[in-house]
Amino acid sequence: MINLIGSQTIETDRLILRSSKMKEQKRLWEILMVPEVNKWYLTSAKKYANNLKHWTWENQEKFYKAKVDNADNNDIFGWSVFLKSEYTNSGNEEVIGQVTVQENGSDIAIRDVGWYMDPIYQGKGYATEAAKAMIDYMFKKVEIDKISSGAVKDNIPSCKIFEKLGFTKIGEIEEDSPYTFYNGILTFSKYELTREDFFKNENNRI
Ligand SMILES: CC(C)(COP(=O)(O)OP(=O)(O)OC[C@H]1O[C@@H](n2cnc3c(N)ncnc32)[C@H](O)[C@@H]1OP(=O)(O)O)[C@@H](O)C(=O)NCCC(=O)NCCS
């Protein structure tokens, strides 16, 4: 059994990860509407791809509200990622992305993970820092058994995050794009991190 403790606040050197609240959702929507962010992330039904009205904040707000309404449930693991004020361009704390852990099949101890970051703040190690904190939380506090996930092979930053965090590449698979704004066949790199390997890596790091 895993520990259903919900998305407690996690602090790292440069970031604070908090459960989703409504006040930062409009900025997250803006970030997710950037084509380079949503291309290999967003999986809403493809029929909405060319429906501009569907993507307006006026229409999207209800979906973000539904997410926030459940954000503090004990079986939800997802965080808004805030950059501490000393590292932002504005000098105030800013939301810069989101990291999440989803179910992956019927065994709730095996999980999938996802992340996106504001292009303004990409390439500075923030996604790696947030993902590492989230994965530590999932293995040490929630006590999951395994993360089974993957990314489009050409999504170099995302694949690098899996590799830097000690995941094992278990193969590649060609699939029809599941993404709303991308059509065609994609090659996915599949990655896994078992509980055993997570703790082995932890000990080797000392
Ligand atoms: C994937 C994503 C979250 C990475 O965010 P980030 O904060 O830039 O990531 P990091 O700074 O921690 O970088 C991770 C690695 O990718 C590399 N990287 C970052 N941007 C890159 C780019 N544009 N081109 C090549 N490499 C890049 C970094 O150098 C780093 O590798 P290194 O440590 O070997 O140098 C971000 O690119 C994103 O939001 N992408 C769109 C959404 C998405 O694809 N989500 C994942 C779906 S599986």
Side-chain angles (χ1 to χ4, degrees), residues 40-91:
W40 288 328
Y41 185 86
L42 207 63
T43 55
S44 312
K46 283 183 194 284
K47 67 178 179 189
Y48 296 121
N50 297 316
N51 180 345
L52 288 184
K53 243 181 152 178
H54 178 78
W55 301 106
T56 59
W57 176 244
E58 287 62 40
N59 189 52
Q60 290 287 307
E61 190 174 5
K62 59 179 177 289
F63 302 119
Y64 286 79
K65 186 159 187 317
K67 173 181 73 176
V68 168
D69 284 347
N70 292 322
D72 289 317
N73 294 0
N74 65 5
D75 60 345
I76 296 291
F77 302 103
W79 291 263
S80 296
V81 178
F82 293 88
L83 184 59
K84 292 181 184 176
S85 57
E86 53 265 53
Y87 303 103
T88 62
N89 297 335
S90 65

Short mmCIF file of all heavy atoms in Angstrom, two decimals, residues 40-91:
data_model
loop_
_atom_site.label_atom_id
_atom_site.label_comp_id
_atom_site.label_asym_id
_atom_site.label_seq_id
_atom_site.Cartn_x
_atom_site.Cartn_y
_atom_site.Cartn_z
N TRP A 40 4.22 18.55 -27.22
CA TRP A 40 4.41 17.17 -26.75
C TRP A 40 3.95 17.00 -25.32
O TRP A 40 4.52 16.23 -24.54
CB TRP A 40 5.89 16.75 -26.90
CG TRP A 40 6.27 16.53 -28.33
CD1 TRP A 40 5.47 16.07 -29.33
CD2 TRP A 40 7.55 16.78 -28.93
NE1 TRP A 40 6.17 16.01 -30.51
CE2 TRP A 40 7.44 16.42 -30.29
CE3 TRP A 40 8.78 17.23 -28.43
CZ2 TRP A 40 8.51 16.52 -31.18
CZ3 TRP A 40 9.84 17.33 -29.30
CH2 TRP A 40 9.71 16.98 -30.66
N TYR A 41 2.91 17.76 -24.96
CA TYR A 41 2.40 17.68 -23.58
C TYR A 41 0.89 17.53 -23.52
O TYR A 41 0.37 16.68 -22.81
CB TYR A 41 2.83 18.91 -22.77
CG TYR A 41 2.44 18.80 -21.32
CD1 TYR A 41 3.29 18.16 -20.41
CD2 TYR A 41 1.23 19.31 -20.84
CE1 TYR A 41 2.93 18.03 -19.07
CE2 TYR A 41 0.87 19.18 -19.51
CZ TYR A 41 1.73 18.54 -18.64
OH TYR A 41 1.37 18.40 -17.32
N LEU A 42 0.19 18.37 -24.30
CA LEU A 42 -1.27 18.46 -24.14
C LEU A 42 -1.99 17.34 -24.89
O LEU A 42 -1.76 17.15 -26.09
CB LEU A 42 -1.72 19.82 -24.69
CG LEU A 42 -2.99 20.41 -24.10
CD1 LEU A 42 -2.82 20.70 -22.61
CD2 LEU A 42 -3.32 21.71 -24.83
N THR A 43 -2.88 16.64 -24.19
CA THR A 43 -3.56 15.50 -24.82
C THR A 43 -5.09 15.63 -24.76
O THR A 43 -5.78 14.63 -24.66
CB THR A 43 -3.12 14.17 -24.17
OG1 THR A 43 -3.36 14.27 -22.76
CG2 THR A 43 -1.67 13.85 -24.42
N SER A 44 -5.59 16.86 -24.82
CA SER A 44 -7.06 17.02 -24.95
C SER A 44 -7.48 16.49 -26.32
O SER A 44 -6.65 16.41 -27.22
CB SER A 44 -7.46 18.49 -24.87
OG SER A 44 -6.85 19.11 -23.80
N ALA A 45 -8.76 16.19 -26.48
CA ALA A 45 -9.25 15.61 -27.74
C ALA A 45 -8.81 16.46 -28.94
O ALA A 45 -8.88 17.69 -28.91
CB ALA A 45 -10.76 15.51 -27.70
N LYS A 46 -8.36 15.76 -29.99
CA LYS A 46 -7.84 16.46 -31.18
C LYS A 46 -8.90 17.31 -31.88
O LYS A 46 -8.58 18.25 -32.59
CB LYS A 46 -7.27 15.44 -32.17
CG LYS A 46 -5.90 14.89 -31.79
CD LYS A 46 -5.42 13.96 -32.89
CE LYS A 46 -4.23 13.11 -32.45
NZ LYS A 46 -2.97 13.84 -32.42
N LYS A 47 -10.16 16.98 -31.64
CA LYS A 47 -11.23 17.74 -32.31
C LYS A 47 -11.21 19.22 -31.89
O LYS A 47 -11.78 20.07 -32.57
CB LYS A 47 -12.60 17.12 -32.03
CG LYS A 47 -13.04 17.21 -30.60
CD LYS A 47 -14.43 16.61 -30.40
CE LYS A 47 -14.81 16.71 -28.94
NZ LYS A 47 -16.00 16.01 -28.57
N TYR A 48 -10.57 19.53 -30.76
CA TYR A 48 -10.51 20.93 -30.30
C TYR A 48 -9.33 21.70 -30.89
O TYR A 48 -9.23 22.91 -30.70
CB TYR A 48 -10.41 20.99 -28.77
CG TYR A 48 -11.62 20.42 -28.07
CD1 TYR A 48 -11.51 19.36 -27.19
CD2 TYR A 48 -12.88 20.98 -28.30
CE1 TYR A 48 -12.63 18.84 -26.55
CE2 TYR A 48 -14.00 20.46 -27.66
CZ TYR A 48 -13.86 19.40 -26.79
OH TYR A 48 -14.97 18.90 -26.17
N ALA A 49 -8.44 21.00 -31.58
CA ALA A 49 -7.17 21.62 -31.99
C ALA A 49 -7.37 22.96 -32.71
O ALA A 49 -6.67 23.92 -32.42
CB ALA A 49 -6.37 20.66 -32.85
N ASN A 50 -8.33 23.02 -33.63
CA ASN A 50 -8.50 24.25 -34.41
C ASN A 50 -9.66 25.12 -33.95
O ASN A 50 -10.05 26.05 -34.63
CB ASN A 50 -8.67 23.90 -35.89
CG ASN A 50 -7.43 23.23 -36.42
OD1 ASN A 50 -6.31 23.68 -36.14
ND2 ASN A 50 -7.60 22.13 -37.15
N ASN A 51 -10.19 24.80 -32.77
CA ASN A 51 -11.32 25.55 -32.23
C ASN A 51 -10.79 26.61 -31.26
O ASN A 51 -10.63 26.37 -30.07
CB ASN A 51 -12.26 24.55 -31.52
CG ASN A 51 -13.46 25.23 -30.93
OD1 ASN A 51 -13.50 26.45 -30.78
ND2 ASN A 51 -14.45 24.44 -30.56
N LEU A 52 -10.52 27.80 -31.81
CA LEU A 52 -9.85 28.84 -31.01
C LEU A 52 -10.63 29.20 -29.75
O LEU A 52 -10.04 29.48 -28.70
CB LEU A 52 -9.62 30.10 -31.86
CG LEU A 52 -8.53 29.97 -32.93
CD1 LEU A 52 -8.33 31.30 -33.64
CD2 LEU A 52 -7.22 29.48 -32.32
N LYS A 53 -11.95 29.17 -29.86
CA LYS A 53 -12.78 29.53 -28.70
C LYS A 53 -12.56 28.57 -27.53
O LYS A 53 -12.61 28.95 -26.37
CB LYS A 53 -14.26 29.48 -29.11
CG LYS A 53 -14.95 30.82 -29.03
CD LYS A 53 -16.40 30.67 -29.42
CE LYS A 53 -17.24 31.71 -28.73
NZ LYS A 53 -18.64 31.58 -29.16
N HIS A 54 -12.32 27.31 -27.89
CA HIS A 54 -12.11 26.30 -26.85
C HIS A 54 -10.93 26.65 -25.95
O HIS A 54 -10.92 26.33 -24.77
CB HIS A 54 -11.87 24.93 -27.50
CG HIS A 54 -11.61 23.84 -26.51
ND1 HIS A 54 -12.61 23.25 -25.77
CD2 HIS A 54 -10.45 23.27 -26.10
CE1 HIS A 54 -12.08 22.35 -24.97
NE2 HIS A 54 -10.77 22.34 -25.13
N TRP A 55 -9.92 27.30 -26.51
CA TRP A 55 -8.66 27.52 -25.78
C TRP A 55 -8.61 28.84 -25.03
O TRP A 55 -7.61 29.14 -24.36
CB TRP A 55 -7.46 27.40 -26.75
CG TRP A 55 -7.45 26.05 -27.38
CD1 TRP A 55 -7.79 25.74 -28.66
CD2 TRP A 55 -7.14 24.81 -26.74
NE1 TRP A 55 -7.71 24.38 -28.86
CE2 TRP A 55 -7.30 23.79 -27.70
CE3 TRP A 55 -6.73 24.46 -25.45
CZ2 TRP A 55 -7.07 22.44 -27.40
CZ3 TRP A 55 -6.50 23.12 -25.16
CH2 TRP A 55 -6.68 22.14 -26.13
N THR A 56 -9.67 29.66 -25.14
CA THR A 56 -9.67 30.94 -24.41
C THR A 56 -9.74 30.67 -22.91
O THR A 56 -10.26 29.63 -22.46
CB THR A 56 -10.88 31.80 -24.80
OG1 THR A 56 -12.07 31.06 -24.49
CG2 THR A 56 -10.86 32.17 -26.28
N TRP A 57 -9.23 31.61 -22.11
CA TRP A 57 -9.29 31.47 -20.65
C TRP A 57 -10.75 31.38 -20.19
O TRP A 57 -11.07 30.60 -19.29
CB TRP A 57 -8.57 32.63 -19.96
CG TRP A 57 -8.69 32.57 -18.47
CD1 TRP A 57 -9.32 33.46 -17.66
CD2 TRP A 57 -8.17 31.54 -17.61
NE1 TRP A 57 -9.24 33.06 -16.35
CE2 TRP A 57 -8.53 31.88 -16.28
CE3 TRP A 57 -7.45 30.35 -17.81
CZ2 TRP A 57 -8.21 31.10 -15.18
CZ3 TRP A 57 -7.12 29.56 -16.70
CH2 TRP A 57 -7.50 29.93 -15.42
N GLU A 58 -11.63 32.13 -20.85
CA GLU A 58 -13.05 32.12 -20.47
C GLU A 58 -13.59 30.69 -20.52
O GLU A 58 -14.38 30.28 -19.68
CB GLU A 58 -13.88 33.01 -21.41
CG GLU A 58 -13.68 34.50 -21.20
CD GLU A 58 -12.25 34.96 -21.46
OE1 GLU A 58 -11.62 34.48 -22.42
OE2 GLU A 58 -11.75 35.79 -20.67
N ASN A 59 -13.17 29.92 -21.50
CA ASN A 59 -13.64 28.53 -21.62
C ASN A 59 -12.80 27.56 -20.79
O ASN A 59 -13.31 26.59 -20.24
CB ASN A 59 -13.64 28.09 -23.09
CG ASN A 59 -14.33 26.76 -23.25
OD1 ASN A 59 -15.46 26.58 -22.80
ND2 ASN A 59 -13.64 25.81 -23.86
N GLN A 60 -11.49 27.81 -20.71
CA GLN A 60 -10.59 26.88 -20.03
C GLN A 60 -10.67 26.96 -18.50
O GLN A 60 -10.37 25.98 -17.82
CB GLN A 60 -9.13 27.16 -20.46
CG GLN A 60 -8.84 26.78 -21.89
CD GLN A 60 -8.76 25.28 -22.07
OE1 GLN A 60 -8.03 24.60 -21.37
NE2 GLN A 60 -9.53 24.77 -23.00
N GLU A 61 -11.08 28.13 -17.99
CA GLU A 61 -11.07 28.36 -16.54
C GLU A 61 -11.76 27.23 -15.77
O GLU A 61 -11.28 26.78 -14.73
CB GLU A 61 -11.72 29.72 -16.25
CG GLU A 61 -11.55 30.16 -14.81
CD GLU A 61 -12.08 31.58 -14.57
OE1 GLU A 61 -12.68 32.17 -15.51
OE2 GLU A 61 -11.90 32.07 -13.45
N LYS A 62 -12.86 26.72 -16.33
CA LYS A 62 -13.61 25.67 -15.61
C LYS A 62 -12.81 24.38 -15.46
O LYS A 62 -12.92 23.68 -14.46
CB LYS A 62 -14.96 25.40 -16.28
CG LYS A 62 -14.90 24.95 -17.73
CD LYS A 62 -16.32 24.70 -18.26
CE LYS A 62 -16.36 24.31 -19.72
NZ LYS A 62 -16.04 25.44 -20.64
N PHE A 63 -11.96 24.08 -16.44
CA PHE A 63 -11.15 22.87 -16.33
C PHE A 63 -10.06 23.05 -15.26
O PHE A 63 -9.75 22.13 -14.50
CB PHE A 63 -10.49 22.52 -17.68
CG PHE A 63 -11.48 22.31 -18.79
CD1 PHE A 63 -11.47 23.12 -19.92
CD2 PHE A 63 -12.44 21.31 -18.71
CE1 PHE A 63 -12.38 22.93 -20.95
CE2 PHE A 63 -13.35 21.11 -19.73
CZ PHE A 63 -13.33 21.93 -20.86
N TYR A 64 -9.49 24.25 -15.24
CA TYR A 64 -8.47 24.54 -14.22
C TYR A 64 -9.10 24.55 -12.83
O TYR A 64 -8.50 24.11 -11.85
CB TYR A 64 -7.77 25.87 -14.53
CG TYR A 64 -6.80 25.76 -15.70
CD1 TYR A 64 -7.25 25.78 -17.02
CD2 TYR A 64 -5.44 25.59 -15.49
CE1 TYR A 64 -6.38 25.66 -18.10
CE2 TYR A 64 -4.56 25.48 -16.56
CZ TYR A 64 -5.03 25.51 -17.86
OH TYR A 64 -4.16 25.37 -18.92
N LYS A 65 -10.35 25.05 -12.76
CA LYS A 65 -11.04 25.09 -11.47
C LYS A 65 -11.31 23.66 -10.97
O LYS A 65 -11.13 23.36 -9.79
CB LYS A 65 -12.35 25.89 -11.60
CG LYS A 65 -13.04 26.08 -10.30
CD LYS A 65 -14.01 27.23 -10.30
CE LYS A 65 -14.57 27.50 -8.91
NZ LYS A 65 -14.95 26.31 -8.16
N ALA A 66 -11.70 22.79 -11.89
CA ALA A 66 -11.96 21.39 -11.51
C ALA A 66 -10.68 20.75 -10.97
O ALA A 66 -10.71 20.00 -9.98
CB ALA A 66 -12.48 20.62 -12.72
N LYS A 67 -9.54 21.07 -11.62
CA LYS A 67 -8.25 20.54 -11.12
C LYS A 67 -7.98 21.05 -9.70
O LYS A 67 -7.65 20.27 -8.80
CB LYS A 67 -7.13 20.97 -12.07
CG LYS A 67 -5.74 20.62 -11.57
CD LYS A 67 -4.64 21.08 -12.52
CE LYS A 67 -4.44 22.58 -12.51
NZ LYS A 67 -3.32 23.02 -13.34
N VAL A 68 -8.17 22.37 -9.49
CA VAL A 68 -7.88 22.98 -8.19
C VAL A 68 -8.82 22.43 -7.11
O VAL A 68 -8.40 22.19 -5.97
CB VAL A 68 -7.98 24.52 -8.30
CG1 VAL A 68 -7.97 25.17 -6.92
CG2 VAL A 68 -6.85 25.06 -9.16
N ASP A 69 -10.07 22.19 -7.47
CA ASP A 69 -11.04 21.66 -6.50
C ASP A 69 -10.59 20.33 -5.92
O ASP A 69 -10.90 20.00 -4.78
CB ASP A 69 -12.42 21.49 -7.15
CG ASP A 69 -13.13 22.81 -7.33
OD1 ASP A 69 -12.69 23.82 -6.74
OD2 ASP A 69 -14.13 22.87 -8.08
N ASN A 70 -9.86 19.55 -6.71
CA ASN A 70 -9.39 18.23 -6.24
C ASN A 70 -7.94 18.23 -5.76
O ASN A 70 -7.43 17.20 -5.33
CB ASN A 70 -9.52 17.20 -7.36
CG ASN A 70 -10.97 16.93 -7.69
OD1 ASN A 70 -11.81 16.87 -6.80
ND2 ASN A 70 -11.28 16.79 -8.97
N ALA A 71 -7.28 19.38 -5.88
CA ALA A 71 -5.81 19.42 -5.72
C ALA A 71 -5.34 18.99 -4.34
O ALA A 71 -4.22 18.50 -4.20
CB ALA A 71 -5.29 20.81 -6.05
N ASP A 72 -6.19 19.18 -3.32
CA ASP A 72 -5.75 18.82 -1.97
C ASP A 72 -6.31 17.47 -1.51
O ASP A 72 -6.20 17.12 -0.33
CB ASP A 72 -6.09 19.95 -0.98
CG ASP A 72 -5.19 21.16 -1.23
OD1 ASP A 72 -3.98 20.95 -1.45
OD2 ASP A 72 -5.69 22.29 -1.25
N ASN A 73 -6.88 16.71 -2.45
CA ASN A 73 -7.30 15.34 -2.11
C ASN A 73 -6.06 14.50 -1.79
O ASN A 73 -4.98 14.74 -2.35
CB ASN A 73 -8.05 14.69 -3.27
CG ASN A 73 -9.38 15.37 -3.56
OD1 ASN A 73 -9.74 16.33 -2.89
ND2 ASN A 73 -10.08 14.87 -4.56
N ASN A 74 -6.23 13.49 -0.92
CA ASN A 74 -5.05 12.72 -0.50
C ASN A 74 -4.50 11.79 -1.58
O ASN A 74 -3.39 11.28 -1.45
CB ASN A 74 -5.33 11.97 0.81
CG ASN A 74 -6.40 10.90 0.63
OD1 ASN A 74 -6.87 10.65 -0.50
ND2 ASN A 74 -6.79 10.27 1.72
N ASP A 75 -5.24 11.60 -2.66
CA ASP A 75 -4.73 10.72 -3.74
C ASP A 75 -4.31 11.51 -4.98
O ASP A 75 -4.12 10.94 -6.05
CB ASP A 75 -5.78 9.67 -4.12
CG ASP A 75 -7.08 10.31 -4.63
OD1 ASP A 75 -7.27 11.53 -4.42
OD2 ASP A 75 -7.89 9.59 -5.23
N ILE A 76 -4.17 12.83 -4.82
CA ILE A 76 -3.71 13.66 -5.94
C ILE A 76 -2.26 14.08 -5.66
O ILE A 76 -1.94 14.61 -4.58
CB ILE A 76 -4.61 14.92 -6.10
CG1 ILE A 76 -6.03 14.51 -6.48
CG2 ILE A 76 -4.02 15.90 -7.12
CD1 ILE A 76 -6.21 13.92 -7.87
N PHE A 77 -1.41 13.87 -6.68
CA PHE A 77 -0.01 14.26 -6.54
C PHE A 77 0.35 15.16 -7.72
O PHE A 77 0.59 14.69 -8.84
CB PHE A 77 0.89 13.01 -6.50
CG PHE A 77 0.52 12.08 -5.37
CD1 PHE A 77 -0.21 10.92 -5.62
CD2 PHE A 77 0.84 12.40 -4.06
CE1 PHE A 77 -0.59 10.08 -4.57
CE2 PHE A 77 0.47 11.58 -3.02
CZ PHE A 77 -0.25 10.40 -3.27
N GLY A 78 0.31 16.46 -7.47
CA GLY A 78 0.59 17.42 -8.53
C GLY A 78 0.92 18.75 -7.90
O GLY A 78 0.32 19.12 -6.87
N TRP A 79 1.89 19.45 -8.46
CA TRP A 79 2.36 20.68 -7.84
C TRP A 79 2.53 21.81 -8.86
O TRP A 79 3.04 21.59 -9.97
CB TRP A 79 3.73 20.45 -7.18
CG TRP A 79 3.71 19.57 -5.98
CD1 TRP A 79 3.68 19.99 -4.67
CD2 TRP A 79 3.77 18.13 -5.93
NE1 TRP A 79 3.70 18.90 -3.83
CE2 TRP A 79 3.75 17.74 -4.58
CE3 TRP A 79 3.82 17.12 -6.91
CZ2 TRP A 79 3.79 16.42 -4.17
CZ3 TRP A 79 3.86 15.79 -6.49
CH2 TRP A 79 3.84 15.45 -5.15
N SER A 80 2.15 23.02 -8.46
CA SER A 80 2.56 24.22 -9.18
C SER A 80 3.98 24.52 -8.71
O SER A 80 4.27 24.46 -7.51
CB SER A 80 1.66 25.40 -8.82
OG SER A 80 0.33 25.17 -9.24
N VAL A 81 4.84 24.88 -9.66
CA VAL A 81 6.25 25.12 -9.33
C VAL A 81 6.50 26.62 -9.27
O VAL A 81 6.30 27.33 -10.26
CB VAL A 81 7.17 24.47 -10.39
CG1 VAL A 81 8.63 24.76 -10.06
CG2 VAL A 81 6.91 22.96 -10.47
N PHE A 82 6.90 27.10 -8.10
CA PHE A 82 7.18 28.53 -7.91
C PHE A 82 8.68 28.76 -7.81
O PHE A 82 9.38 28.01 -7.11
CB PHE A 82 6.51 29.05 -6.63
CG PHE A 82 5.01 29.04 -6.70
CD1 PHE A 82 4.28 27.90 -6.34
CD2 PHE A 82 4.30 30.14 -7.16
CE1 PHE A 82 2.89 27.87 -6.41
CE2 PHE A 82 2.91 30.12 -7.24
CZ PHE A 82 2.21 28.99 -6.86
N LEU A 83 9.14 29.79 -8.51
CA LEU A 83 10.55 30.17 -8.43
C LEU A 83 10.69 31.24 -7.35
O LEU A 83 9.94 32.23 -7.34
CB LEU A 83 10.98 30.71 -9.80
CG LEU A 83 12.44 31.08 -9.99
CD1 LEU A 83 13.37 29.89 -9.74
CD2 LEU A 83 12.67 31.61 -11.42
N LYS A 84 11.64 31.03 -6.44
CA LYS A 84 11.82 31.98 -5.34
C LYS A 84 12.20 33.35 -5.88
O LYS A 84 12.87 33.45 -6.92
CB LYS A 84 12.90 31.46 -4.38
CG LYS A 84 12.49 30.21 -3.63
CD LYS A 84 13.58 29.76 -2.68
CE LYS A 84 13.20 28.45 -2.00
NZ LYS A 84 14.28 27.94 -1.14
N SER A 85 11.80 34.37 -5.15
CA SER A 85 11.90 35.75 -5.65
C SER A 85 13.32 36.13 -6.06
O SER A 85 13.51 36.89 -7.01
CB SER A 85 11.36 36.72 -4.60
OG SER A 85 12.06 36.54 -3.39
N GLU A 86 14.33 35.59 -5.38
CA GLU A 86 15.71 36.01 -5.70
C GLU A 86 16.17 35.54 -7.08
O GLU A 86 17.18 36.00 -7.59
CB GLU A 86 16.71 35.61 -4.61
CG GLU A 86 16.71 34.15 -4.21
CD GLU A 86 15.85 33.85 -2.98
OE1 GLU A 86 14.65 34.23 -2.97
OE2 GLU A 86 16.36 33.20 -2.05
N TYR A 87 15.41 34.62 -7.71
CA TYR A 87 15.82 34.10 -9.02
C TYR A 87 14.92 34.58 -10.16
O TYR A 87 15.16 34.23 -11.32
CB TYR A 87 15.82 32.56 -8.99
CG TYR A 87 16.72 32.00 -7.92
CD1 TYR A 87 16.19 31.50 -6.73
CD2 TYR A 87 18.10 32.02 -8.08
CE1 TYR A 87 17.02 31.02 -5.73
CE2 TYR A 87 18.94 31.54 -7.08
CZ TYR A 87 18.38 31.04 -5.91
OH TYR A 87 19.21 30.58 -4.93
N THR A 88 13.86 35.33 -9.87
CA THR A 88 12.93 35.72 -10.93
C THR A 88 13.34 37.05 -11.57
O THR A 88 14.09 37.83 -10.98
CB THR A 88 11.48 35.89 -10.39
OG1 THR A 88 11.49 36.95 -9.42
CG2 THR A 88 10.96 34.62 -9.77
N ASN A 89 12.81 37.28 -12.77
CA ASN A 89 13.08 38.55 -13.46
C ASN A 89 12.36 39.70 -12.77
O ASN A 89 12.84 40.83 -12.79
CB ASN A 89 12.60 38.46 -14.92
CG ASN A 89 13.38 37.41 -15.68
OD1 ASN A 89 14.52 37.08 -15.32
ND2 ASN A 89 12.79 36.87 -16.74
N SER A 90 11.19 39.42 -12.15
CA SER A 90 10.38 40.49 -11.54
C SER A 90 10.84 40.83 -10.13
O SER A 90 10.48 41.87 -9.60
CB SER A 90 8.91 40.05 -11.49
OG SER A 90 8.78 38.94 -10.61
N GLY A 91 11.59 39.92 -9.51
CA GLY A 91 11.96 40.14 -8.11
C GLY A 91 10.88 39.66 -7.14
O GLY A 91 11.04 39.74 -5.92
#
